[in-house]
Amino acid sequence: QVQLVESGGGLVQTGGSLRLSCAASGIAFSLYDMGWYRQAPGKGREWVAGSTSGDYTTYQDSVKGRFTISKDSAKNTVTLQMNDLKPEDTGVYYCKAEYMRSYWGQGTQVTVSS
């Protein structure tokens, strides 16, 4: 059974930091492209950052220089370090694993107060 479990969300003030983690089980982690997405209230889900199976990382323009995605293949985890948070970063953050098909986590809430 495939599981992606996110953690680390919370309430933080503008300029603060949070570190999200996604623990994957039931998949051959090294084969998967991993990504973080978010969904703000009343909006669609959007891609935030990705790390390919070959560890190539990409970011949405609005988070470049503030967010860092990284993987620990020994622990089957992908993290998103978020610094200098802004109110527009508020939303539910989801982890996604993709290799031939996609799997999603249940999401973790991030709220940035102004």
Side-chain angles (χ1 to χ4, degrees), residues 38 62-63 66-67 84-91 93 110 112:
R38 66 188 179 191
S62 70
V63 308
R66 300 188 297 122
F67 290 12
D84 190 23
L85 283 161
K86 304 176 181 181
E88 51 264 41
D89 295 318
T90 294
Y93 281 69
V110 171
V112 184

Side-chain angles (χ1 to χ4, degrees), residues 73-113:
S73 295
K75 297 181 178 180
N76 285 8
T77 59
V78 56
T79 61
L80 186 68
Q81 177 66 44
M82 306 187 295
N83 299 327
D84 190 23
L85 283 161
K86 304 176 181 181
E88 51 264 41
D89 295 318
T90 294
V92 179
Y93 281 69
Y94 298 91
C95 173
K96 178 185 177 183
E98 185 166 6
Y99 173 68
M100 300 183 72
R101 62 160 291 179
S102 299
Y103 299 97
W104 292 88
Q106 82 290 348
T108 184
Q109 177 70 45
V110 171
T111 304
V112 184
S113 64

